[in-house]
Amino acid sequence: MANRFAGFGRFSLRPLVSKSPRSVAGQVLVLQVALVVLLVAFGVLGLALQSKRDTDAEARRRSLAVAQTFAHSPGVVAALDSPQPSKILQPLTEAARKAAGVDFIVVLNTKGIRYTHPLPGLIGKRFVGNIAPSLAGKIYTESVNGPLGREVQATVPVKNDADKVVGLVSAGMKVKNVSNQVARQLPIILGAGAGALLVATGGTALVGRRLRRQTHSLAPAEMTRMYDHHDTVLHSVREGVLIIGGDGRLLLANDEARRLLALPPEAEGRFVSELSSLDDETVELLVSGREATDEVHFAGERLLAVNQRPTDRGGGPKGTVVTLRDSTELQAVTGRAETARERLKLLYDAGVRIGTTLDVLRTADELARVAVPRFADFVTVDLADAVLRGEEPGLTATGMRRTAVCGIRKNHPLYEKGRLIDFVPSTPQARGYGSGHSELVTDLSTATGWHAQDPARTRRIIDYGIHSLIAAPIQARGVVLGMANFWRCEQHEPFDEEELSLAEELVARAAVSIDNARRYTREHALAVTLQRSLLPRALPELSALEVGYRYLPAQSGVSGDWFDVIPLPGSRVALAVGDVVGHGLHAAATMGRLRTAVHNFSTLDLPPDELLSHVDDLVGLIDQDEAGTDSAVGVVGATCLYAIYDPVTRRCVMASAGHLAPALVHPDGTVTFPDLPAGPPLGLGGMPFLTTELELAEGTQLVLYTDGLIEDRRRDLDVGMDLLGAALAGHPDRTPEESCGAVLEELLPGRPKDDVALLIARTRGLPRDRIADWDVPLDPAAVAGMRDALSQKLDEWDLAELGFGMELVLSELITNAIRYGSEPIHVRLIRDRTLICEVSDGSSTSPHLRYAATTDEGGRGLFLVSQVTERWGTRYTPQGKVIWAEQALPPTTAEPDREPGQEPAEQEEQAEQADPV
């Protein structure tokens, strides 16, 4: 226990020794530790006394409880009445004494003679203690010097059923044993006191440490001196200081703050909002408690720079500290700096907001808008009219188009937007345009040269309040494109020389953008002209198809999408659509070459796969020609879809070179996409193209398109095709033109980012009464029979006047087939917009037109055919060849087109209703 107290003493005294007795914190710590030690000592003493008293009371209570329990135990009265009580009770009392933890249990008779005792030698001897109260029936406790020493014992009477005392029971403990229990509890009491002292001393040390940190271990004299210095500095600095509490009260104001804010003497302790000498904005800042850095506020005629910071960042009380600095003398310098900052910001905004597009009008408008109202009240931009067309401007300020007008009000008297102006030489605009230097007019009312332009209008401008002008030439690459005019009204000062430099810098930033837009306009116009010249301007009149189309250029300008509708012999029609990847002149020129190639190859009447093979070879040659040139970009990525529709058989043969499959709108309104083998794009070479042949019901719509219609970054290609199918489905009676409009409205609500070509053709079939077929045997004698059959069919069609020429053609063609061809020989006569005669055989040899010599017996037949007909030619089929010839119908017999499924009588009736004459 001594070691425990020694350790506690070492722990508690070390912090005390380390503290300086001179510091306030050390003195407070020593006082607090002394008080804690004294309180703990008194606490330990009190706890020891209380423990001793409680232990003595516990011994009396336990002795009394044991004595009462044994006295009232069954059999005790009977044992006392027995001849030998000691023999019965001695074992019982010893067992009970050991179990109860007392030093003795003694049973005695009413005369005080012991029947039991822990020391058997004392049995039969007289009991030491006062038994009189117990014989009277009372319970009595006492301390005596008994056989075992100093004892605490309790004596309890034993009564029989007649409530008569027949014996006594005494139980007790030695005082020594009681003292041992107190000694055993004393270490616990002292340990608890030591723990309390340790906790109290530790808490006191922490408090002292914080107090030492706050006072910096200063002694009272040092603290007094520090506060004196603080008060001197606070009221001597040339900067106002305010401390405001969290409730808005003014807690402290130094002398400078009182002077700057004209505070009354009793200002401290009052609410800031009650101080009438403060400006409303200043009161709002001080009450808000927000942070402020160099905010400018007025205090009478003074201009104050106010800084405000919260005081509770380091755990201090809630409030703010405010510093005030008189910056009245810096106001002029600050104004100039602010003006310079605003001008730099204006130039920065001009660089960001001017030239966002390659449109001359838009760029001129951006120049006007960026300067109003930050630099001028009104801005007008006049460009040479040639600049708007992308051309080079003239040398004088005539033919100037007002392209932008912007101002603070709309009811100004300046020339309106779009007006063509011829500036007279005496005006600032004409002088600036000719010299390339800006013109500054500080007073328009005295500028006589400016008045000569339009005296009536200039008078209205001056009366309106416009008094100052800067006319700055828009000049790029040494060429003046126009003039930018900056106007100011009476509420602003006139322009000065510094602002003239700013206007020149502002216009210079816009001039490059306007010139770039001009050059783009020129190139775009050339590209658009080229592209329009390469695309079909009008579609031919066809009996086989009713055609509608759309072409939409992309936002970025021209590109390489194209389409074509090509009439073929035998009333057939070829449909083509293609796409050249890229934009600009190169893509447009390549598109024109491919379209021309397809158009030329179609005159050979080639099947779609063979035609695409020839175009593929041509693209390869184009790439070889452009290889090695600086501007070569190649044609890889060009696609094409080529289809041929025959209205006689209502069959369509098509092939694709990397192009999207067409859509078919059936007469019942359903939409399908045929399984078309996708060949490689044009220019790769080495891969064959496959064809697909479809039989189309009359009234079926064949939809050809480019990828710009269905592709979008926001959706997949399959989604675009589903949207196309949904836009086409359910409208079988809609015309191709209506279908084109509906599809574009559904899939392209805005201007497309890629160009779009859309071609929709509704199929028609030739009626059987306009077609005649004959099989011809391989016999020259069959020619005469065919001439008769032809004559009868022409009479039936009211075309007898064409009989002579067509019989001559038929005779020559059949004779050549019999002589040079092979079976089977077939003749087909078609009445369409022209009269078509076709003779087919199983041979692949092709006749050629030539001049026969006077001695030649043959060679004049095809020459006669070419002279009698409008045109003739040969096309090859998988079974051989077909030689065809066309002859124009007489005007009186030419029939108008009829709708699919319409009979000739119905067509004639509709024609009469449409044209009664």
Side-chain angles (χ1 to χ4, degrees):
M1 182 177 296
N3 292 335
R4 292 177 184 175
F5 278 107
F8 178 75
R10 288 195 300 270
F11 177 77
S12 59
L13 292 177
R14 188 179 295 112
L16 300 179
V17 174
S18 64
K19 303 298 177 182
S20 173
R22 295 182 58 192
S23 66
V24 176
Q27 295 176 3
V28 172
L29 180 61
V30 170
L31 177 62
Q32 289 178 339
V33 170
L35 291 175
V36 169
V37 171
L38 184 62
L39 291 175
V40 170
F42 280 112
V44 170
L45 179 61
L47 288 174
L49 295 176
Q50 179 67 25
S51 178
K52 184 177 184 306
R53 185 180 65 81
D54 291 344
T55 303
D56 186 64
E58 176 65 19
R60 292 177 179 274
R61 184 190 63 79
R62 185 182 298 180
S63 299
L64 179 61
V66 172
Q68 283 182 324
T69 300
F70 194 86
H72 296 88
S73 297
V76 174
V77 175
L80 291 173
D81 294 337
S82 65
Q84 296 180 346
S86 297
K87 186 177 181 179
I88 298 174
L89 294 175
Q90 178 66 17
L92 295 177
T93 56
E94 287 300 307
R97 177 184 66 81
K98 294 178 180 180
V102 296
D103 291 328
F104 62 91
I105 298 177
V106 177
V107 181
L108 57 153
N109 57 15
T110 55
K111 297 179 180 181
I113 303 301
R114 301 186 183 96
Y115 288 142
T116 63
H117 198 276
L119 299 177
L122 297 178
I123 296 174
K125 294 183 178 181
R126 189 171 183 82
F127 176 71
V128 178
N130 186 9
I131 63 173
S134 298
L135 292 176
K138 298 180 179 179
I139 298 173
Y140 182 71
T141 58
E142 59 183 343
S143 296
V144 297
N145 290 321
L148 301 179
R150 189 69 178 172
E151 300 172 348
V152 176
Q153 62 186 12
T155 305
V156 178
V158 179
K159 298 180 180 180
N160 57 11
D161 294 338
D163 199 24
K164 181 180 179 181
V165 177
V166 295
L168 302 174
V169 176
S170 177
M173 299 179 64
K174 294 184 291 183
V175 174
K176 180 180 180 180
N177 291 341
V178 174
S179 299
N180 289 338
Q181 290 183 7
V182 173
R184 286 194 300 269
Q185 292 178 1
L186 185 60
I188 299 175
I189 297 173
L190 293 178
L197 179 61
L198 178 63
V199 173
T201 305
T204 303
L206 292 177
V207 173
R209 181 179 179 184
R210 182 172 181 179
L211 182 60
R212 183 184 180 191
R213 183 171 63 249
Q214 292 178 349
T215 61
H216 301 281
S217 301
L218 296 176
E222 294 173 340
M223 292 287 292
T224 301
R225 186 168 61 254
M226 181 190 70
Y227 280 110
D228 291 340
H229 291 170
H230 168 266
D231 188 68
T232 301
V233 171
L234 180 65
H235 294 286
S236 300
V237 295
R238 293 299 304 274
E239 191 170 83
V241 178
L242 301 175
I243 298 179
I244 300 172
D247 58 352
R249 293 180 181 272
L250 179 61
L251 302 181
L252 181 145
N254 68 346
D255 295 342
E256 183 67 11
R258 293 177 181 274
R259 184 184 69 84
L260 294 176
L261 298 178
L263 296 177
E266 69 281 1
E268 293 182 353
R270 295 174 57 184
F271 288 101
V272 174
S273 58
E274 298 176 354
L275 301 176
S276 59
S277 60
L278 298 181
D279 183 77
D280 292 339
E281 293 184 358
T282 305
V283 172
E284 187 276 330
L285 172 63
L286 300 180
V287 172
S288 66
R290 61 180 175 85
E291 289 191 10
T293 302
D294 290 337
E295 286 193 11
V296 178
H297 290 266
F298 286 95
E301 297 180 354
R302 292 187 178 91
L303 192 66
L304 303 181
V306 182
N307 292 273
Q308 181 168 268
R309 295 292 185 273
T311 59
D312 55 354
R313 287 182 174 179
K318 186 175 180 60
T320 55
V321 58
V322 182
T323 61
L324 309 171
R325 186 173 64 256
D326 190 354
S327 59
T328 306
E329 298 177 355
L330 299 176
Q331 183 177 7
V333 178
T334 303
R336 288 195 295 270
E338 181 66 20
T339 301
R341 187 190 68 82
E342 291 179 356
R343 291 178 178 178
L344 290 175
K345 182 65 167 56
L346 174 62
L347 292 176
Y348 171 78
D349 292 342
V352 173
R353 295 167 53 183
I354 298 177
T356 58
T357 64
L358 289 174
D359 184 88
V360 175
L361 298 177
R362 178 72 177 273
T363 305
D365 186 69
E366 290 170 346
L367 169 60
R369 291 183 180 276
V370 78
V372 176
R374 299 160 65 181
F375 180 68
D377 296 319
F378 296 93
V379 176
T380 59
V381 179
D382 304 320
L383 297 177
D385 204 35
V387 173
L388 301 179
R389 301 190 298 269
E391 302 172 1
E392 294 291 335
L395 300 177
T396 60
T398 58
M400 302 287 288
R401 182 78 63 179
R402 179 141 294 181
T403 56
V405 178
C406 184
I408 58 176
R409 293 188 295 270
K410 294 183 179 180
N411 59 342
H412 56 80
L414 301 171
Y415 283 133
E416 67 277 5
K417 182 178 179 181
R419 181 162 182 165
L420 190 63
I421 308 172
D422 293 330
F423 288 105
V424 298
S426 61
T427 59
Q429 290 84 354
R431 293 197 303 268
Y433 189 93
S435 64
H437 299 291
S438 300
E439 292 284 331
L440 171 62
V441 182
T442 56
D443 189 0
L444 289 173
S445 62
T446 61
T448 57
W450 175 68
H451 284 262
Q453 174 68 34
D454 188 346
R457 185 177 292 271
T458 55
R459 174 52 54 188
R460 293 202 306 269
I461 292 175
I462 294 175
D463 294 341
Y464 187 78
I466 298 176
H467 57 76
S468 183
L469 165 67
I470 291 179
I474 302 174
Q475 186 173 346
R477 300 179 180 91
V479 178
V480 178
L481 307 175
M483 297 296 295
N485 307 298
F486 302 91
W487 313 80
R488 275 189 179 173
C489 290
E490 55 189 6
Q491 58 265 34
H492 293 100
E493 295 294 328
F495 290 111
D496 54 24
E497 291 293 336
E498 292 184 1
E499 291 172 322
L500 178 64
S501 301
L502 176 61
E504 291 175 343
E505 180 66 23
L506 187 64
V507 173
R509 299 195 176 205
V512 176
S513 299
I514 292 177
D515 188 58
N516 290 336
R518 177 189 67 85
R519 292 170 176 265
Y520 172 78
T521 301
R522 181 183 60 188
E523 294 181 1
H524 180 72
L526 292 175
V528 169
T529 302
L530 173 62
Q531 187 179 38
R532 289 179 178 175
S533 65
L534 296 176
L535 288 174
R537 297 189 178 182
L539 298 182
E541 295 184 1
L542 304 170
S543 301
L545 298 172
E546 180 187 0
V547 180
Y549 66 93
R550 291 288 189 279
Y551 177 80
L552 295 180
Q555 292 181 359
S556 57
V558 297
S559 56
D561 287 17
W562 61 276
F563 66 93
D564 209 344
V565 179
I566 307 170
L568 296 177
S571 296
R572 296 171 303 124
V573 181
L575 302 175
V577 65
D579 184 7
V580 176
V581 176
H583 298 276
L585 288 175
H586 184 273
T590 304
M591 175 271 291
R593 300 173 72 176
L594 293 184
R595 177 174 175 265
T596 302
V598 170
H599 208 284
N600 292 336
F601 286 133
S602 66
T603 60
L604 301 177
D605 214 346
L606 299 174
D609 54 341
E610 295 184 19
L611 184 141
L612 292 180
S613 297
H614 286 291
V615 178
D616 182 63
D617 295 338
L618 176 63
V619 172
L621 293 176
I622 294 175
D623 286 339
Q624 292 179 7
D625 293 341
E626 293 185 349
T629 61
D630 295 338
S631 60
V633 293
V635 195
V636 175
T639 64
C640 181
L641 175 67
Y642 188 78
I644 298 177
Y645 173 69
D646 189 349
V648 177
T649 61
R650 289 186 286 104
R651 303 191 69 82
C652 182
V653 182
M654 63 184 69
S656 172
H659 202 81
L660 298 169
L664 296 178
V665 183
H666 299 280
D668 60 356
T670 59
V671 178
T672 60
F673 293 88
D675 188 10
L676 179 63
L682 299 174
L684 296 182
M687 297 293 292
F689 297 97
L690 302 178
T691 60
T692 297
E693 186 172 358
L694 304 173
E695 183 174 354
L696 305 179
E698 190 171 2
T700 301
Q701 295 188 37
L702 184 63
V703 183
L704 283 70
Y705 53 92
T706 56
D707 56 0
L709 180 66
I710 62 175
E711 284 188 350
D712 194 284
R713 295 180 180 178
R714 298 168 296 179
R715 66 189 183 212
D716 294 334
L717 184 63
D718 294 339
V719 176
M721 297 186 71
D722 293 339
L723 293 176
L724 175 61
L728 293 169
H731 302 281
D733 298 332
R734 196 163 53 188
T735 65
E737 282 291 329
E738 294 173 346
S739 295
C740 287
V743 168
L744 294 183
E745 183 179 358
E746 183 69 24
L747 272 70
L748 300 175
R751 188 176 179 184
K753 296 182 178 179
D754 193 9
D755 50 344
V756 175
L758 175 63
L759 182 65
I760 300 179
R762 187 200 299 271
T763 62
R764 296 171 178 168
L766 287 180
R768 291 302 305 170
D769 58 0
R770 294 192 179 190
I771 305 171
D773 294 86
W774 299 280
D775 291 325
V776 181
L778 193 64
D779 184 1
V783 176
M786 287 306 304
R787 284 198 297 266
D788 294 339
L790 174 63
S791 179
Q792 293 177 6
K793 180 55 69 174
L794 293 179
D795 291 340
E796 181 181 341
W797 287 345
D798 295 331
L799 299 175
E801 58 183 293
L802 300 179
F804 176 77
M806 190 55 66
E807 289 178 7
L808 178 62
V809 171
L810 183 63
S811 299
E812 181 61 31
L813 295 182
I814 294 178
T815 300
N816 286 341
I818 293 174
R819 180 177 297 179
Y820 304 108
S822 60
E823 292 183 323
I825 300 174
H826 186 77
V827 175
R828 185 169 68 176
L829 194 65
I830 302 173
R831 180 192 175 187
D832 194 11
R833 295 181 181 272
T834 60
L835 184 61
I836 305 169
C837 178
E838 297 180 346
V839 178
S840 62
D841 65 82
S843 173
S844 299
T845 59
S846 176
H848 297 282
L849 182 66
R850 65 185 179 88
Y851 288 99
T854 56
T855 58
D856 291 343
E857 296 183 358
R860 298 176 179 85
L862 289 181
F863 181 78
L864 294 175
V865 171
S866 66
Q867 296 299 314
V868 173
T869 62
E870 288 190 343
R871 58 178 186 151
W872 71 279
T874 304
R875 72 172 180 270
Y876 294 94
T877 64
Q879 295 78 24
K881 68 176 180 300
V882 176
I883 302 177
W884 53 270
E886 291 185 3
Q887 194 168 3
L889 297 177
T892 57
T893 58
E895 297 184 5
D897 294 338
R898 62 182 181 84
E899 294 296 326
Q902 192 176 36
E903 296 300 327
E906 298 176 358
Q907 182 180 357
E908 293 176 0
E909 181 181 354
Q910 288 188 2
E912 292 175 358
Q913 294 176 355
D915 187 6
V917 178

